[in-house]
Amino acid sequence: MTNSQNNPGINSNNINSDPFLIQEDEKVFELLNPPNANLSKLDEISGMIAYAHYSIQKHQFVKGCQQSQGKMPTEDALKSLIFSFQNENNAALSALKIQSKILLNQYAQEYLEKGIYQEILEPIEKVIEKRTSFWSAIGTNLFGSVIYSFVIALIVFTTTAAVPNTKFSRIFKILMEESPNPTYPANPKEKK
């Protein structure tokens, strides 16, 4: 008599020690990490992570059965779950592979960003903090303001001199308290 005939549920201590289940798990591992294949290190790690995801799904299946039914899943139910991952062209197996590659890419991106910050940006920030003080920042801003004002004044004077009869030029001449050359008299009575 097998364990499933004695007990309709699998003993939680026996879930990972049943020789048949171990053998079936090995088949899933070999599908995710083919032996004698010239895999890159990235593919090897990806396969191992995919197998870890498979183990997590199996564990979640067992926990779900415990919570919903109040007992461990039957051996047949667990075999059915394992068999669902044993076809090389299976969507569940493909999803594990894709999920592991996504996880590796996210980790690599996070590691790269953290490495760039620690190796490049952090030293630059420290140099800037050392060389930047309150008074030097004020001096820099004051110098920038003077340069900006000079450029604006240069543009205004150049525009006024180049085109003296525009409204802008007249407004500028009034503001500078020069008498503009009106094209019409200011007071019509003075026209005599």
Side-chain angles (χ1 to χ4, degrees):
M1 282 177 110
T2 64
N3 187 25
S4 63
Q5 291 171 338
N6 289 339
N7 185 359
I10 295 176
N11 184 345
S12 63
N13 297 331
N14 200 15
I15 194 165
N16 288 322
S17 61
D18 184 352
F20 178 77
L21 295 177
I22 291 172
Q23 187 179 17
E24 296 305 312
D25 275 348
E26 286 176 5
K27 289 179 185 176
V28 174
F29 183 82
E30 287 181 0
L31 286 172
L32 294 169
N33 300 290
N36 301 327
N38 291 331
L39 298 176
S40 68
K41 294 293 181 189
L42 180 65
D43 288 336
E44 279 184 37
I45 293 171
S46 178
M48 290 179 196
I49 292 172
Y51 184 76
H53 282 291
Y54 157 76
S55 296
I56 290 169
Q57 287 185 12
K58 191 170 72 168
H59 176 75
Q60 289 172 341
F61 174 76
V62 171
K63 287 292 184 187
C65 286
Q66 284 179 323
Q67 290 174 349
S68 66
Q69 299 171 2
K71 61 182 181 177
M72 296 295 290
T74 63
E75 188 173 318
D76 290 337
L78 196 54
K79 285 179 184 177
S80 175
L81 174 72
I82 294 171
F83 287 145
S84 70
F85 288 97
Q86 288 188 351
N87 183 352
E88 196 169 347
N89 298 322
N90 187 335
L93 198 64
S94 296
L96 288 175
K97 291 177 180 179
I98 291 169
Q99 186 179 15
S100 68
K101 287 186 179 183
I102 289 171
L103 181 68
L104 276 175
N105 284 333
Q106 289 172 342
Y107 173 74
Q109 183 69 27
E110 181 181 318
Y111 181 77
L112 182 63
E113 288 172 0
K114 192 174 187 180
I116 288 173
Y117 177 76
Q118 288 177 342
E119 292 180 16
I120 298 172
L121 297 178
E122 195 172 87
I124 291 172
E125 286 177 354
K126 288 179 182 178
V127 168
I128 290 172
E129 285 175 8
K130 283 182 191 176
R131 297 187 180 192
T132 305
S133 69
F134 176 74
W135 292 110
S136 67
I138 287 179
T140 303
N141 287 333
L142 185 60
F143 180 73
S145 297
V146 168
I147 296 296
Y148 177 76
S149 298
F150 176 74
V151 169
I152 294 298
L154 184 64
I155 291 171
V156 168
F157 289 129
T158 305
T159 305
T160 305
V163 189
N165 290 330
T166 64
K167 288 182 183 180
F168 177 75
S169 297
R170 288 185 205 146
I171 292 171
F172 182 72
K173 288 178 184 177
I174 290 171
L175 290 175
M176 297 303 292
E177 296 184 23
E178 293 181 12
S179 60
N181 294 333
T183 55
Y184 56 91
N187 190 350
K189 292 181 183 178
E190 293 180 11
K191 226 180 180 184
K192 292 183 184 179

